[in-house]
């Protein structure tokens, strides 16, 4: 969701601390990627203030504060990065030395920072020093060259303008090395903030110790800054402990610090605690003892009850220092306690609105907004942005639009973030046109799209596969010199993949890779997108492709998704090989790696490999998921190895993984399929005893088990029980009942259940197929055909199985033309016929009068997997049922093939061309057979006779009859019949009668010489032959 970025943006980044603390406290220092230098703080001993005296007010010690801090007017540095003008309505609150910033990150002002849109300039020697420090790595040498005395203000500016925590520390150390330097809290705040931002906790600890040793006492700004940096590092409990430390010193949080605490709790989704802290502060009470610390989740490790880590231990160590109560001036902070106060800062109201919005307390958010108006506190763009997002994200889009109007009425101009919010709100509401209008309007009003804008609009367009619009945005970004954010890369590539535009996806990936560093997470997302479409080779290219940095190793996440890609393609050997090579490349498999591989092997019925990995996983100290055990149990159940399935189940329980309904369902279904009803019922009872309610899948499995035993009463009892489940009866269970009634020949009961399904619109292909099976077996062919026709009209013919059942029904009833039409429909829909299909097709050929020798020849070619055997069978069916145009089209796919074919394929081509009247093509195929020295077989002669008869080529028929008569061709009933039919087609009835008589004598001679005439089956066959001869005599 795009809105998530705003939940982050307007919570921890824009709505609070950035417009709260003084300038020293708000300088952000990016963590450097250079090796950590030897910190100067580490050379100092760990000295601090003892906190053995718990009565902080009973014993006050004073420490001299040698640095006379300049007045706020002297150090007045107000940085305002708002692109709009602040509303002049309401009293202006002078924040003095407080940094006003509303950028996404707390960025340190640089030499190019601006005040009210004007470039900020420093006077005196500061510009020269800052330029020199930018150019030189040797900080000390540069500072020594400007050996004049720097004022505290100039020192502060130099310190805060450094871009990395290492340089901040080095500059600070140089200041301290000067003999006339006086330590002050402002400088320490800058250093502590830089170290906290870089998460250099040990260096921060040592700096805190040094600060206490030098008698520099923390202020409200110090504590607020520490709460901020710890909170943004995800150390929520640690950040709040600073407030506890602050209170033990007798310092009461000011509004800025309170606001920071509320934001930290808000970002941790501790909404009620944030609300309570704010309301307590308003009445002068700040008590943290009632907070349940273990329930607060640190985002670093995601748990509230983990062992104490170095980072958590750090804060407890810090409490040893800086804890003594100072002067009476500080003691007087207690005077502010127990007094009623109201917030006065815009940023505080912004934070509260965001807090209540995220907590879903819209009335409270509206109340804060109204209170802000009533109190005359100046509103800013962030205020309206937060309210707009709060209303819009809770479905009140019209109110959000009204707020935009009110915003402009008050003279507060929307910024890019305002349009970004509306863009996402419209997209979530499905109003894509309005979302795109928001995107275009950004430039129309003189603003510029930012990274969030482009991420949002690309996400919206890519989700809908709007290729042209996406490419227009990409072109606009390129012309503006902007790079595509790496978070958008997987979405764009996925869009191209969905539209089968692989070349564009490849080009975009290569271009993005060359324009900047790509994280492992992004690569993994791209690999996953390719894997989902089965493009394992393309995923492999991304995985093994060049890296941005030499020696950059692949993350375990990349290995996991590449293994998934191989698994979806059923390339199990490749997946296992990749897994084995992980360690050699510096990446170790994690829990996800093992779970994925085991589930993959189990899904491929590779039970032995799955079990080996399960044992290895346990040896690595990982605990398999319930789904992993379930996959192995289901695998053994499918393979019929139920004892092994039970063994895995017992191991699962032993290691403390609780079986779920899927595990029990796999066992119950396995035993049910094997007809072991007692075992299935045993696990069913065990499942219910463990508190897991039976679902439809489990009860269906048991119904199938009773069905296999023919136990109607048991199945009916479970079927009735299913009616009481949430969601009612399951279609699979209902079909199982129909099947059971069908097996028992209970037509009326099966029909009753089927009719109920049909009336409710729930009947599926299995329901219809089962009823067809029942009617056909009971000899009710008309009813079977009616069901078949209805199934066809209902659009339930979706796979080979459904087509096969309907074709079988038509074939049984002799409706061969309908079989051919269904076959053509299958071919058109690119459904590859399976073994069941060809079984039906051979029946169609036999019933259609296709010579039995030709059918046998095709069956043999099909079983042997000869080239074009399948196509030859399909062609034969089309010819037999009279669909000659389709037969010819099918025939041409192999008749024109540039390869030597089997004689069976040529025979089919001769037959197809011959019966369709294309005699020349049929004879050309015959000559091609001779050219390729293929031996002419009986089927060839039969098909040639058919061809000659169709064309009236009597001489051709006579030639083959002569070969048959004089023994060059072995006497055969099918060939005799073909010759007789050919003469009849040529109106040579006298010749047809002569051949009929010849057939009688030839077959009689063949039977009399047969050595196995005593066999009863041969006698029956002889009788059949004589009956056939008599039939031909009658016709003649």
């Amino acid at each position: 969701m795009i809105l998530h970025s705003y939940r982050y943006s307007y919570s921890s980044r824009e709505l609070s601390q950035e417009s709260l603390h003084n300038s020293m406290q708000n300088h952000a220092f990016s963590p450097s990627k250079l090796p950590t230098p030897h910190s100067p703080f580490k050379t100092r001993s760990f000295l601090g203030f003892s906190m053995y005296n718990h009565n902080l007010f009973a014993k006050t010690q004073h420490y001299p504060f040698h640095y006379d801090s300049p007045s706020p007017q002297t150090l007045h540095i107000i940085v305002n990065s708002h692109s709009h003008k602040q509303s002049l309505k309401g009293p202006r609150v002078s924040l003095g030395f407080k940094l006003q910033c509303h950028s996404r990150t707390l960025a340190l002002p640089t030499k190019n920072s601006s005040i009210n849109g004007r470039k900020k300039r420093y006077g005196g020697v500061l510009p020269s020093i800052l330029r020199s420090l930018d150019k030189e790595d040797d900080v000390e040498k540069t500072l020594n060259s400007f050996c004049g005395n720097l004022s505290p203000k100039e020192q502060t500016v130099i310190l805060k303008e450094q871009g990395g925590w290492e340089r901040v520390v080095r500059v600070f150390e140089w200041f301290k090395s000067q003999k006339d330097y006086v330590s002050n809290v402002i400088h320490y705040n800058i250093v502590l903030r830089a170290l906290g931002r870089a998460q250099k906790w040990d260096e921060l600890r040592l700096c805190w110790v040094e600060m206490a040793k030098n008698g520099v006492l923390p202020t409200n700004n110090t504590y607020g800054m520490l709460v901020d940096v710890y909170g943004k590092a995800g150390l929520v409990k640690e950040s709040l402990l600073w407030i506890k430390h602050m209170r033990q010193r007798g310092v009461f949080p000011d509004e800025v610090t309170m606001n920071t605490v509320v934001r930290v709790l808000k970002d941790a989704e501790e909404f009620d605690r944030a609300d309570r802290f704010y309301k307590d502060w308003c009445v002068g009470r700040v008590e943290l003892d009632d907070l349940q610390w273990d329930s607060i989740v640190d985002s670093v490790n995601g748990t509230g009850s983990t062992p104490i880590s170095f980072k958590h231990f750090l804060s407890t160590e810090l409490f040893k220092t800086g804890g003594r109560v100072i002067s009476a001036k500080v003691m007087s902070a207690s005077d502010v306690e127990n007094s009623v106060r109201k917030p006065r800062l815009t940023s505080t109201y912004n934070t509260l609105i965001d807090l209540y919005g995220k907590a879903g307390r819209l009335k409270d958010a509206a109340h804060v907004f109204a209170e802000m108006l009533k109190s005359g506190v100046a509103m800013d763009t962030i205020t309206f942005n937060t309210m707009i997002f709060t209303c819009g994200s809770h479905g009140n889009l019209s109110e959000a639009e009204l707020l935009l109007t009110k915003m402009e009425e008050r003279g507060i101009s929307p910024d890019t973030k305002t349009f970004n919010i509306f863009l996402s709100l419209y997209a979530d509401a499905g109003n894509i046109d309005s979302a795109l209008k928001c995107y275009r309007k950004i430039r129309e009003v003189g603003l510029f799209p930012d990274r969030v804008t482009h991420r949002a609009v690309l996400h919206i367009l890519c989700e809908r596969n709007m290729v042209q619009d996406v490419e227009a945005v990409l072109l606009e970004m390129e012309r503006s010199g902007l790079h595509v954010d790496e978070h958008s890369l997987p979405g764009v590539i996925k869009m191209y993949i969905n539209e089968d535009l692989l070349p564009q996806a490849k080009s975009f990936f290569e271009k993005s890779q060359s324009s900047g560093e790509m994280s492992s997470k992004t690569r993994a997302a791209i690999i996953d997108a390719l894997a989902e479409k089965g493009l394992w080779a393309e995923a492999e290219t991304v995985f093994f492709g060049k890296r941005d940095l030499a020696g950059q190793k692949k993350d375990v996440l990349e290995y996991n998704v590449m293994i998934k890609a191989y698994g979806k393609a059923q390339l199990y050997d490749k997946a296992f090989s990749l897994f084995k090579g992980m360690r050699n490349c510096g990446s170790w498999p994690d829990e996800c790696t093992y779970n994925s591989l085991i589930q993959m092997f189990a899904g491929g019925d590779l039970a032995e490999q799955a079990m080996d990995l399960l044992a290895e996983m346990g040896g690595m100290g990982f605990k398999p998921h319930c789904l992993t055990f379930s996959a192995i149990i289901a695998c053994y159940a499918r393979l019929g190895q139920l004892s092994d399935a039970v063994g895995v189940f017992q191991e699962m329980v032993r290691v403390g993984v609780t079986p779920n309904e899927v595990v029990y369902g796999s066992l119950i279904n396995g035993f049910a399929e094997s007809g072991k009803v007692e075992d299935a019922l045993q696990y069913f009872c065990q499942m219910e005893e463990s508190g897991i309610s039976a679902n439809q899948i489990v009860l269906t499995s048991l119904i199938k088990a009773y069905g296999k035993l023919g136990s109607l009463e048991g199945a009916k009892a479970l079927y009735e029980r299913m009616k009481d489940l949430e969601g009612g009866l399951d279609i699979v269970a209902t079909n199982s009942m129909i099947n059971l009634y069908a097996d028992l020949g209970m037509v009326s009961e099966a029909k009753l259940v089927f009719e109920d399904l049909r009336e409710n619109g729930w009947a599926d292909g299995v329901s219809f197929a089962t009823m067809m099976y029942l009617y056909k077996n009971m000899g009710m062919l008309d009813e079977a055909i009616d069901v078949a026709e209805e199934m066809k009209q209902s659009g339930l013919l979706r796979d080979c199985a459904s087509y096969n059942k309907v074709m079988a029904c038509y074939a049984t009833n002799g409706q061969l033309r309908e079989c051919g039409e269904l076959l053509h429909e299958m071919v058109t829909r690119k459904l590859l016929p399976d073994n069941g299909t060809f079984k039906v097709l051979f029946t169609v050929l036999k019933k259609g009068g296709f010579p039995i020798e030709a059918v046998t020849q095709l069956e043999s070619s099909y079983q042997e997997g000869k080239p074009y055997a399948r196509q030859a069978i399909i062609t034969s069916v089309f010819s037999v049922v009279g669909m000659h145009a389709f037969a010819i089209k099918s025939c041409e796919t192999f008749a024109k093939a540039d390869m030597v074919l089997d004689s069976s394929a040529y025979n089919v081509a001769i037959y197809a061309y011959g019966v369709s009247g294309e005699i020349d093509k049929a004879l050309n195929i015959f000559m091609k057979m001779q050219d390729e020295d293929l031996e002419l077989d009986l089927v060839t002669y039969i098909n040639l006779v058919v061809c000659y008869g169709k064309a009236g080529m009597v001489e051709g028929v006579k030639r083959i009859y002569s070969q048959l008569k004089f023994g060059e061709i072995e006497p055969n009933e099918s060939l005799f019949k073909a010759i007789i039919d050919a003469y009849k087609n040529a109106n040579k009835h006298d010749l047809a009668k002569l051949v009929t008589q010849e057939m009688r004598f030839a077959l009689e001679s063949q039977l009399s010489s047969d050595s196995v005439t005593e066999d009863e089956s041969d006698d029956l066959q002889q009788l059949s032959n004589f009956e056939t001869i008599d039939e031909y005599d009658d016709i003649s």
Side-chain angles (χ1 to χ4, degrees):
M1 294 286 290
I2 297 298
L3 285 183
H4 290 173
S5 64
Y6 290 101
R7 293 180 68 88
Y8 179 78
S9 173
Y10 286 92
S11 59
S12 64
R13 302 293 183 184
E14 295 175 334
L15 299 182
S16 54
Q17 187 68 21
E18 303 179 33
S19 50
L20 304 181
H21 281 291
N22 63 36
S23 58
M24 287 77 67
Q25 188 172 319
N26 280 275
H27 306 326
F29 302 96
S30 302
S32 173
K33 296 178 181 178
L34 298 174
T36 304
H38 181 69
S39 171
F41 297 118
K42 294 181 180 179
T43 61
R44 304 178 182 275
S45 59
F46 185 77
L47 298 174
F49 303 125
S50 173
M51 293 190 65
Y52 59 85
N53 189 347
H54 298 285
N55 187 355
L56 299 177
F57 294 96
K59 200 170 186 178
T60 304
Q61 297 185 21
H62 298 270
Y63 287 85
F65 188 37
H66 299 292
Y67 174 59
D68 295 327
S69 177
S71 66
Q73 290 77 13
T74 307
L75 293 179
H76 187 73
I77 305 174
I78 303 177
V79 180
N80 188 345
S81 64
H82 291 250
S83 60
H84 62 84
K85 295 182 179 180
Q86 179 73 24
S87 173
L88 298 178
K89 296 183 181 180
R92 293 182 61 84
V93 180
S94 175
L95 301 181
F97 200 54
K98 302 219 165 117
L99 181 73
Q100 304 244 16
C101 175
H102 104 3
S103 61
R104 181 177 173 85
T105 58
L106 290 178
L108 175 69
T110 66
K111 274 72 69 182
N112 294 322
S113 298
S114 62
I115 304 175
N116 296 327
R118 298 189 303 273
K119 187 173 181 181
K120 184 177 70 177
R121 300 183 184 277
Y122 297 118
V125 297
L126 281 177
S128 299
I129 296 175
L130 294 175
R131 281 194 299 269
S132 298
L133 286 172
D134 279 345
K135 295 176 182 177
E136 294 290 339
D137 291 333
D138 193 338
V139 172
E140 294 78 9
K141 179 181 177 182
T142 302
L143 291 173
N144 283 330
S145 64
F146 295 91
C147 55
N149 292 328
L150 296 172
S151 69
K153 177 181 177 181
E154 290 171 332
Q155 291 173 347
T156 300
V157 170
I158 292 171
L159 195 59
K160 71 184 180 63
E161 289 287 354
Q162 302 311 303
W165 71 270
E166 300 99 328
R167 293 181 69 87
V168 172
V169 170
R170 289 171 65 183
V171 170
F172 188 46
E173 285 300 306
W174 186 88
F175 287 162
K176 290 188 295 182
S177 68
Q178 305 304 301
K179 61 180 180 180
D180 56 348
Y181 176 76
V182 179
S183 298
N184 66 85
V185 70
I186 295 175
H187 291 180
Y188 273 105
N189 284 351
I190 294 174
V191 177
L192 288 171
R193 187 177 186 82
L195 295 171
R197 287 290 185 189
Q199 299 187 23
K200 296 297 177 181
W201 309 117
D202 194 39
E203 287 82 356
L204 186 147
R205 173 181 64 85
L206 294 172
C207 183
W208 174 262
V209 171
E210 181 190 285
M211 179 178 171
K213 178 184 175 183
N214 292 336
V216 179
L217 299 170
T219 64
N220 238 305
N221 288 335
T222 309
Y223 283 109
M225 173 270 298
L226 289 168
V227 171
D228 179 53
V229 295
Y230 271 78
K232 287 178 179 175
L235 300 172
V236 181
K237 289 184 287 186
E238 307 296 308
S239 68
L240 297 180
L241 283 171
W242 283 111
I243 299 301
K244 192 171 184 180
H245 184 281
M246 180 184 191
R247 295 298 296 122
Q248 288 175 345
R249 290 189 62 250
V251 180
F252 192 82
D254 61 10
E255 182 178 343
V256 173
T257 305
M258 176 275 294
N259 194 1
T260 306
V261 174
V262 171
R263 175 187 52 80
V264 168
L265 287 169
K266 170 177 65 70
D267 292 346
E269 298 185 0
E270 294 287 338
F271 303 125
D272 291 338
R273 288 191 173 94
D275 178 51
R276 186 166 71 246
F277 186 89
Y278 162 67
K279 289 177 178 176
D280 284 350
W281 179 86
C282 287
V283 296
R285 182 176 67 247
V286 174
E287 298 294 340
L288 297 178
D289 293 336
D290 63 331
L291 289 179
Q292 300 175 14
W293 301 100
D294 287 343
S295 67
I296 298 178
V297 177
D298 279 355
S299 64
V300 171
N301 46 38
T303 178
S305 57
T306 55
I308 295 178
S309 68
F310 170 74
K311 294 175 184 177
H312 293 84
F313 175 75
L314 181 59
S315 284
T316 61
E317 188 176 4
L318 285 168
F319 276 103
K320 298 176 183 178
T321 65
R324 65 181 62 196
V325 179
I326 55 173
S327 64
K329 182 177 180 181
V330 176
M331 287 283 291
S332 67
S334 61
D335 297 338
V336 301
E337 297 185 32
N338 303 315
S339 60
V340 178
R341 59 181 52 74
K342 290 176 65 176
R344 297 177 297 108
L345 302 178
T346 300
S347 54
T348 303
Y349 284 96
N350 292 344
T351 302
L352 293 172
I353 292 170
D354 194 46
L355 164 67
Y356 295 129
K358 286 181 169 60
R361 296 164 58 175
L362 302 189
K363 288 185 179 180
D364 289 330
H367 174 74
V368 172
F369 187 70
E371 184 65 25
M372 196 174 183
L373 288 168
K374 179 181 176 182
S375 303
V377 177
M379 295 182 176
D380 60 10
T381 306
I382 298 176
T383 310
F384 279 96
N385 284 351
T386 310
M387 277 301 297
I388 288 169
F389 173 74
T390 299
C391 291
S393 60
H394 287 86
N396 301 314
L397 191 52
S398 59
E399 292 186 23
E401 292 170 337
L402 182 62
L403 279 167
L404 179 62
T405 304
K406 296 294 182 184
M407 179 181 185
E408 293 172 338
E409 287 176 358
R410 296 182 68 87
I412 302 175
S413 300
D415 62 1
T416 300
K417 293 180 177 65
T418 312
F419 289 103
N420 288 348
I421 293 171
F422 273 108
L423 192 154
S424 294
L425 291 176
Y426 284 130
D428 288 344
N431 191 344
I432 305 305
D433 290 338
S434 295
L436 296 179
K437 284 179 183 176
C438 279
Y439 172 69
R440 289 190 288 268
K441 190 155 187 175
I442 293 175
R443 291 188 184 275
E444 291 174 8
V445 299
L447 297 171
F448 294 95
D450 59 12
R451 177 178 292 186
V452 176
T453 314
H454 288 126
R455 281 177 61 177
V457 74
L458 286 174
H459 175 80
I460 292 167
L461 297 173
C462 289
E463 256 195 347
R464 291 157 181 82
N465 297 325
M466 299 169 69
V467 178
Q468 291 183 346
D469 298 278
V470 168
E471 290 181 339
V473 173
L474 295 176
L475 182 61
E476 178 185 313
M477 292 178 67
E478 186 177 352
R479 287 172 177 171
S480 302
L482 300 174
H483 295 300
V484 180
D485 186 273
E486 74 164 313
H487 293 90
S488 300
L489 300 182
V492 176
I493 290 175
K494 185 176 181 180
M495 174 198 69
Y496 280 131
I497 296 169
N498 290 339
E499 294 298 302
D500 294 326
L501 300 172
L502 281 181
Q504 288 89 328
K506 181 181 178 182
S507 174
F508 178 76
F509 172 74
E510 291 172 348
K511 187 175 182 180
S512 302
Q513 191 177 33
S514 62
S515 63
E517 185 176 341
M518 190 180 296
S519 68
S520 291
K521 187 175 180 181
T522 302
R523 284 181 181 272
I526 293 170
I527 295 169
D528 193 51
L530 292 163
E532 285 295 328
K533 292 293 183 178
L535 302 169
W536 66 269
E538 290 78 3
E540 197 176 56
T541 301
V542 175
F543 180 79
F544 289 110
K546 66 177 182 177
R547 300 279 153 159
D548 303 310
L549 301 175
Q552 182 183 8
K553 69 177 184 179
K554 301 174 183 69
D555 188 78
V556 65
L557 180 62
E558 295 178 71
Y559 278 98
N560 290 344
V561 293
M562 192 63 232
I563 287 170
K564 172 188 173 181
Y566 286 140
K568 289 184 77 70
Q570 298 183 358
L571 300 171
Y572 304 123
D573 290 341
K574 277 183 170 287
F576 191 65
S577 175
L578 186 65
F579 163 73
K580 283 298 184 184
M582 284 180 68
R583 295 179 178 86
N584 296 334
C585 297
S587 294
W588 284 75
D590 60 6
E591 192 172 309
C592 179
T593 314
Y594 281 103
N595 281 313
S596 298
L597 272 170
I598 293 169
Q599 292 170 32
M600 178 197 308
F601 284 135
D605 290 342
L606 302 173
E608 186 176 343
Q609 292 89 325
M611 287 301 294
D612 289 342
L613 280 171
L614 185 68
E616 183 180 327
M617 183 179 185
M620 292 289 291
F622 295 128
K623 189 175 182 179
H625 294 166
C626 180
L627 185 60
T628 301
F629 280 110
S630 175
I632 301 176
I633 290 170
C635 172
Y636 277 129
R638 285 194 303 272
L639 296 173
Q641 300 173 227
L642 296 176
S643 59
D644 293 317
V646 171
V648 175
F649 174 79
Q650 293 170 346
E651 174 65 16
M652 177 183 186
V653 174
R654 187 189 69 78
V655 299
V657 177
T658 304
N660 60 11
E661 66 275 9
V662 178
V663 174
Y664 282 110
S666 298
L667 285 168
I668 292 168
N669 189 64
F671 284 115
E673 290 291 343
S674 300
K676 298 180 179 179
V677 181
E678 290 185 4
D679 291 312
L681 289 173
Q682 175 192 335
Y683 282 100
F684 176 69
C685 294
Q686 187 175 335
M687 181 186 76
E688 293 199 314
E689 288 171 2
S690 66
I692 301 174
S693 300
N695 58 21
Q696 294 167 323
I697 298 173
V698 171
L699 292 179
T700 300
S701 297
L702 287 173
I703 289 174
K704 287 194 294 184
Y706 281 120
K708 286 182 179 293
L709 291 178
S711 175
L712 180 61
E713 292 305 317
K716 285 178 69 175
L718 290 172
Y719 187 70
E720 291 299 320
R721 178 175 172 179
M722 283 187 71
K723 292 180 180 179
D724 299 328
L725 291 179
E726 184 179 354
L729 289 169
D730 178 37
I731 181 63
V732 180
T734 307
N735 286 338
S736 297
M737 285 302 299
I738 296 175
N739 189 63
L740 177 57
Y741 286 133
D743 288 341
L744 297 174
M746 302 171 69
V747 177
S748 58
E749 289 83 354
K751 183 179 179 180
L752 188 65
V753 177
F754 176 70
E755 291 292 342
D756 186 53
L757 274 180
R758 190 163 54 180
E759 286 175 9
N760 290 298
W762 296 341
D764 62 4
V766 177
S767 312
F768 280 95
T770 308
M771 288 304 297
M772 278 191 294
Y773 163 81
L774 170 61
Y775 286 137
K776 189 175 70 171
N777 284 359
M778 299 299 292
M780 303 167 67
L781 293 182
D782 289 341
E783 288 81 356
I785 293 300
D786 289 341
V787 173
E789 286 291 341
E790 185 179 348
M791 182 179 181
K792 184 178 176 183
Q793 295 299 324
S794 301
L796 292 172
L797 299 181
R798 296 168 185 159
D799 54 21
C800 280
S802 56
Y803 274 100
N804 295 347
K805 287 181 172 62
V806 175
M807 282 197 292
C809 189
Y810 282 137
T812 302
N813 201 43
Q815 295 177 247
L816 305 185
R817 176 78 183 196
E818 285 79 358
C819 291
E821 290 171 353
L822 286 175
L823 176 62
H824 178 255
E825 191 176 313
M826 284 184 70
V827 172
T828 304
R829 293 177 62 178
K830 297 182 179 179
L831 287 174
L832 187 65
D834 59 12
N835 290 335
T837 312
F838 284 104
K839 184 177 180 181
V840 176
L841 296 184
F842 288 131
T843 302
V844 171
L845 289 175
K846 292 173 184 176
K847 287 204 167 203
F850 204 62
I852 189 63
E853 293 81 2
V855 175
T856 303
Q857 189 179 69
L858 286 174
E859 285 179 328
S860 176
S861 297
Y862 173 73
Q863 295 296 334
E864 294 173 15
K866 291 182 178 179
Y868 292 105
R870 291 167 172 259
Q871 199 68 37
I873 297 167
I874 293 171
T875 302
S876 301
V877 171
F878 285 146
S879 295
V880 165
V881 301
M883 300 172 65
H884 299 300
F886 297 130
I888 296 303
K889 185 176 179 181
S890 174
C891 179
E892 287 176 350
T893 59
F894 61 88
K896 295 180 179 180
D898 189 19
M899 63 181 297
V900 177
L901 299 175
D902 180 69
S903 59
S904 63
Y906 285 119
N907 289 340
V908 168
I910 293 171
Y911 178 83
Y913 284 129
V915 296
S916 65
E918 298 190 27
I919 308 302
D920 291 341
K921 290 184 177 180
L923 296 178
N924 286 338
I925 295 292
F926 172 62
M927 288 186 286
K928 188 176 180 180
M929 285 183 70
Q930 292 180 312
D931 293 340
E932 293 176 1
D933 293 329
L934 286 175
E935 183 178 352
L936 305 183
D937 55 27
L938 183 61
V939 177
T940 311
Y941 288 119
I942 293 173
N943 291 342
L944 278 174
V945 169
V946 171
C947 217
Y948 292 146
K950 189 81 174 176
M953 300 171 65
V954 177
E955 293 302 320
V957 177
K958 287 182 177 179
R959 187 166 55 252
I960 293 177
Y961 174 62
S962 176
Q963 291 176 281
L964 177 63
K965 184 176 180 179
F966 293 106
E968 296 178 28
I969 302 175
E970 185 178 348
N972 177 270
E973 182 182 356
S974 296
L975 182 55
F976 272 117
K977 290 179 180 179
I979 293 172
I980 294 168
D981 290 337
Y983 279 139
K984 289 178 181 178
N985 288 335
N987 291 321
K988 299 292 183 180
H989 296 285
D990 54 338
L991 295 177
K993 185 174 183 179
L994 181 65
V995 174
T996 301
Q997 295 173 349
E998 183 65 30
M999 179 173 65
R1000 172 192 290 268
F1001 297 132
L1003 293 179
E1004 283 178 351
S1005 301
Q1006 188 179 28
L1007 288 172
S1008 63
S1009 62
D1010 198 328
S1011 60
V1012 291
T1013 54
E1014 297 178 3
D1015 189 272
E1016 182 180 356
S1017 62
D1018 286 342
D1019 291 339
L1020 291 173
Q1021 183 62 46
Q1022 180 181 352
L1023 179 61
S1024 174
N1025 289 338
F1026 286 139
E1027 289 174 349
T1028 302
I1029 293 168
D1030 291 338
E1031 180 184 347
Y1032 269 79
D1033 285 339
D1034 294 339
I1035 294 172
S1036 300

